[in-house]
Amino acid sequence: MAEFNNEKLRDVLRDYRQNPTQENVNRMGTTLQTASILIPSIWDKEPKVGPNGQMLFQENTQFQFAILQLKNEQKFIVAFTSYYDYKHWDTEKRFKPMVLPLTRFMKLIKNVPDDIKGIFIDPTDVKIPLDMNFLHQVEARETAQHTSMKKREFKANETLKIKEAEQAKELKQSMIRFAQNEPSIRAIYLKERLVEKEGTHWLIVVDMEQENPQMFQALGSFIHPYDENKEMEFMFASHPISQKIIENSKPVYSKNEMA
C-alpha cells in the first residue's frame, strides 16, 4: 500500500489542469478507465486479499468516505494518486487507505447521497474535481470497449478479406496522437476487414518494442470516440498475417517518420 503511486494519472491530471483542452479531457477520461486511485475510507467488514494483492470486499460492506466541501458548498469524495500524498493529508489517521480501479469504485458509490457531486483527486496537489456525470461517462466507455474491441487470434494461414481504410481521418489522427505519447510503439497500420453479414471491422496492427496486450485496451479506449461504431480488432506486428499486411501497406503512424 505504501508503494502506491499512480504517476501516469497524476501527470495526465496536471496536463489537464494547465491546459483544459478537449484533447486533454479525452486523454484524462481514457487514463481513468484503467486507473486505480486511493480512497480514504472506513469499512465495517475487513476485505479478503486477492492473489494479486487486490482488496475484495463483501457485497454488504458498509463504507464511510472522506468528504471535502468546497467554498461553494459542493461536496466531493476525496481520492489520491499516491500513498505519499494521502499520508500527509490524513495526519490524524482517521481513515484507512483503499486502492481500487476507478471503475470498480464507481460501483461502490452508486448509492451515495445526491449532494455528493463527484470525486476530488489530490486536494493537496493537482486539485482536480471530477463530477459524477463525467465519471459515469468514463464507466460507460470502459464497459462499451469490451464489446467494441477484440484482440483477434487468427490462424497463420488464414485468409482475410481486407481493404484500405481510405477515409477515417479523425480515427487516424487519434491513433497518431496516442502513439506519440507511447514511446514503445514503432508503427500502427489500419485496415478494414470485411466480415460476412456484419459489414466491416477496423483491423489495427501495432508494431511495438515489447508486445503488451494491455496497450490494446488503452489504445482502444483513446480512439473509441472516433471508431464510427465499428468493432475494432487488434493484432501485433509479429503475427504472420500482420507481416503480410505490413509488406504492402503504409503505416498510419511511424516513429521513424515522426522523428
Side-chain angles (χ1 to χ4, degrees):
M1 184 66 69
E3 297 177 355
F4 175 74
N5 180 26
N6 195 334
E7 187 175 356
K8 179 179 180 180
L9 174 59
R10 190 163 54 254
D11 288 345
V12 168
L13 294 174
R14 281 201 184 109
D15 288 345
Y16 167 75
R17 181 89 180 172
Q18 294 169 3
N19 190 16
T21 61
Q22 186 59 49
E23 179 70 26
N24 281 337
V25 171
N26 293 341
R27 191 165 155 239
M28 180 170 61
T30 298
T31 304
L32 285 167
Q33 282 182 241
T34 57
S36 289
I37 54 175
L38 185 152
I39 309 100
S41 316
I42 297 172
W43 49 82
D44 63 347
K45 295 180 179 66
E46 287 301 315
K48 294 181 180 179
V49 179
N52 297 317
Q54 68 270 38
M55 304 173 80
L56 304 175
F57 290 95
Q58 299 179 45
E59 288 188 9
N60 59 348
T61 302
Q62 299 295 312
F63 295 94
Q64 180 182 338
F65 303 112
I67 303 297
L68 176 67
Q69 183 167 317
L70 305 183
K71 291 181 179 180
N72 61 8
E73 298 187 354
Q74 289 188 336
K75 297 178 181 178
F76 290 82
I77 296 172
V78 177
F80 292 88
T81 59
S82 75
Y83 180 80
Y84 176 85
D85 284 330
Y86 157 72
K87 181 177 67 174
H88 285 78
W89 175 82
D90 188 16
T91 55
E92 297 179 3
K93 298 182 179 179
R94 297 169 296 168
F95 300 92
K96 292 184 284 187
M98 173 173 65
V99 175
L100 288 177
L102 172 69
T103 51
R104 219 177 115 204
F105 180 60
M106 291 299 295
K107 293 176 173 58
L108 292 185
I109 62 173
K110 61 184 178 181
N111 295 319
V112 296
D114 291 339
D115 64 341
I116 301 299
K117 300 303 181 183
I119 297 174
F120 199 101
I121 300 183
D122 284 348
T124 60
D125 190 353
V126 290
K127 302 177 182 179
I128 297 290
L130 301 174
D131 66 47
M132 284 297 187
N133 288 334
F134 179 75
L135 293 169
H136 286 310
Q137 290 174 19
V138 171
E139 185 181 21
R141 282 181 60 186
E142 194 274 339
T143 301
Q145 78 177 15
H146 293 297
T147 59
S148 66
M149 58 180 285
K150 296 179 180 178
K151 177 180 180 296
R152 297 302 306 220
E153 298 292 345
F154 295 109
K155 296 179 182 178
N157 60 351
E158 193 169 347
T159 300
L160 304 185
K161 294 181 179 180
I162 61 174
K163 66 177 185 177
E164 294 297 327
E166 296 178 351
Q167 303 299 321
K169 181 179 179 181
E170 290 186 340
L171 180 63
K172 293 175 182 178
Q173 289 176 341
S174 68
M175 290 179 175
I176 293 170
R177 291 194 297 269
F178 179 87
Q180 287 173 333
N181 289 296
E182 293 291 339
S184 63
I185 294 179
R186 290 187 289 242
I188 298 178
Y189 299 81
L190 176 66
K191 300 290 184 181
E192 286 188 77
R193 185 170 81 89
L194 281 67
V195 182
E196 188 175 355
K197 298 180 180 180
E198 293 185 31
T200 61
H201 295 177
W202 298 121
L203 180 61
I204 302 164
V205 177
V206 180
D207 181 9
M208 60 188 307
E209 293 171 6
Q210 293 185 333
E211 296 183 350
N212 178 9
Q214 291 183 347
M215 187 281 307
F216 289 151
Q217 185 176 9
L219 173 58
S221 299
F222 189 85
I223 66 178
H224 180 61
Y226 312 101
D227 65 7
E228 301 177 5
N229 295 317
K230 292 184 182 180
E231 185 173 300
M232 294 182 281
E233 301 171 341
F234 294 84
M235 298 176 64
F236 283 122
S238 59
H239 194 286
I241 292 179
S242 297
Q243 291 293 309
K244 293 179 182 179
I245 292 173
I246 291 172
E247 284 178 8
N248 303 303
S249 303
K250 181 178 180 181
V252 171
Y253 167 84
S254 171
K255 180 189 287 190
N256 290 336
E257 292 180 6
M258 294 291 179

